[in-house]
Amino acid sequence: MDDNDFRAWAHRAADWSADYLETVAERPVRAQTQPGDVLKQLPPHPPHDAEPMEAIFADLDRIILPGMTHWQHPRFFAYFPANSSPPSVVAEYVTAAMAAQCMLWQTSPAATELETRVLDWLRQMIGLGDGFAGVIQDSASGATLAALLTARERALGFEGNAQGLAAHAPVRVYASPQAHSSINKAVRIAGIGDANLVNVPMRGPHGSMDVEALERAIMEDRAAGFIPAAIVACLGSTSIGACDDIEAVFEVARRHGLYLHVDAAWAGSAMICPEFRDLMRGAEHADSFVFNPHKWLFTNFDCTAHFVKDPKALTDTLGLRPAYLRTLGRDGLVDYNEWSVPLGRRFRALKLWFVIRSYGVETLRTMIRRHVAWSQELAAQIDAHPDFELVSQPVLSLFTFRYAPAGARDIDALNARLLERINNDGRIYLTQTQHEGRFVIRFQVGQTSTSREDVQMAWSVIHELARGLE
Ligand SMILES: *Cc1c(COP(=O)(O)O)cnc(C)c1O
C-alpha cells in the first residue's frame, strides 16, 4: 500500500465506520452464528501473494460482520457497557497512525505528560481527593494485579521480589464473595494462592462486607502466623452492583496496617456525578482505586484509570531500570512502564483527552444520569408487574430480575429459556448471573447511543417473549 492508497483506504475506513454506527441498530445485538461458522469461511493457509484491499474489505462485510456481537448497539444491555464515542474512535485512529511506544518519558514526552494531566482531571472529576497519582493500565485486572503485588511487597518489607515467597509466611488478602474474578486471578499471578484469598462474609445478600468478621479474620490469621496484607473493597460488583462500606473497611485496614484497594471498575465512571458519591465515601483513604473509563466513560477499550497514594511503593515493586532503558542525564522523570506489568505502552491518554474535551464534564454527567434514570424507570415497571420480580434493586444503572408467573414451577429453567429466547430474537441483548443460588437476569444501561425508547423497547421485548413461554 503506497501513501496514496493509504489515504484512500483510510477515508474508506472512516466511511465504513460512520455507516456502521449509523446502521448498527438494525442488526441483531448478539451474533446469531454457530460455533465454527466463521472459521470454516477462512482459508486454512495464509496467502502467498498480495490480495487487493477491495477483496479484504468485502470479506470484512461478508465474513466478519455477521459474526460480531455489537457492543455499540443502542440495545446492548448485557454484561457491562464497553462504550465508545466518536471522539474516542478518532483519537484511536490518530494513535494508531503515530504508533508510539510510551514506556519512558523520553520515548514520547507528550504521551507521559498528557497522561499525568488527564489522569489528574479524571481524579478531580470523580471527586477522589488530591493525595493520588494516576496511571493508565490495560485493564482493571492489570491494575488490581499491580495493587496486590504492591500490597504483597509492602507486607513483606519489599523483600518478596528479591527472595521469592518461600522465604516468608503466607500473605493473606481479604475480599467479599461479590469481589470480581480479577482479584482471584491477581492472587494467583502474585503467587499468593487461592487458599490465601480470604472470603469475608457479607451483611445481607445485597450489602457490604461484614467488617467485624473481617477484623476477626485478620486477627486470627495473624495469631496463626499468616501475614495479612490487603483488603479489596468493591464499589459496584459485577453480579448485582454490591458496594462495600469503604469508610468502615478502611478503619479495619488502618487499625491493622493493611493495604486497601478499591475496585470500582464499572461504577467509578458514575462518580463524576456528585449525587452518586455516597457510594464511594471513604475512598480517599484507600491506597489505590481503579475504574474503567473503557466501560462507562465513552472511551474505547483499553483505558483503565489506576490511582495510587504512594507511587514509590508501586515503582519499587514493578520498576526495573536496565541500562538500555535509562533516559540519560535526566533523573526524576516519570517512566510509566515502572507503574505496570507490561513494558510497552500504547498512547492511551490521547483518547481520554479527546473525549473529556469534546463533551465537557457536564455533558458526560448528563449522559450517565440518563442511563441511571432510564434503568431505574424500567426497574420500577418490572417491580410493579405481577409476573416479574425485581431480585436486586438498581445500583446506579444495574439491577437483576426474574420472570416468576404464579404457578410456575422451575423458575430457574424458565428464566434460562426466556434469556435464550431474548438473545436469539436479537432486538436486545441481556446476560445472567447467579444470585443466592438462583438464576437471575441482569440489566444495565450504559451505551453511548441508547435512548429512553430503547430501554422501553427492551421491556416490551421481554414481556412479549415471556408471554409465549410455557
Ligand atoms: C469489569 C470489571 C473488572 C475487570 O475489568 P477489566 O478491565 O476487563 O480487567 C473488574 N472488576 C469489576 C468490578 C468489573 O466490573
Side-chain angles (χ1 to χ4, degrees), residues 13-31:
D15 282 338
W16 187 97
S17 305
D19 289 345
Y20 170 75
L21 290 176
E22 247 171 54
T23 56
V24 67
E26 296 159 21
R27 299 178 182 276
V29 192
R30 194 203 58 183

Side-chain angles (χ1 to χ4, degrees), residues 146 149-154 158 161 312-319:
L149 286 167
T150 306
R152 185 196 77 188
E153 285 307 290
R154 208 177 83 173
F158 291 88
N161 275 336
K312 186 169 181 301
L314 176 58
T315 56
D316 281 353
T317 302
L318 296 177

Side-chain angles (χ1 to χ4, degrees), residues 252-266:
V252 177
R254 189 184 56 75
R255 271 201 293 281
H256 297 276
L258 269 65
Y259 185 105
L260 174 59
H261 176 62
V262 176
D263 179 5
W266 158 69

Side-chain angles (χ1 to χ4, degrees), residues 37-38 41-42 58-68:
D37 279 358
V38 176
Q41 298 181 71
L42 302 169
D59 285 347
L60 165 66
D61 288 331
R62 189 174 60 85
I63 303 173
I64 304 300
L65 252 197
M68 294 303 290

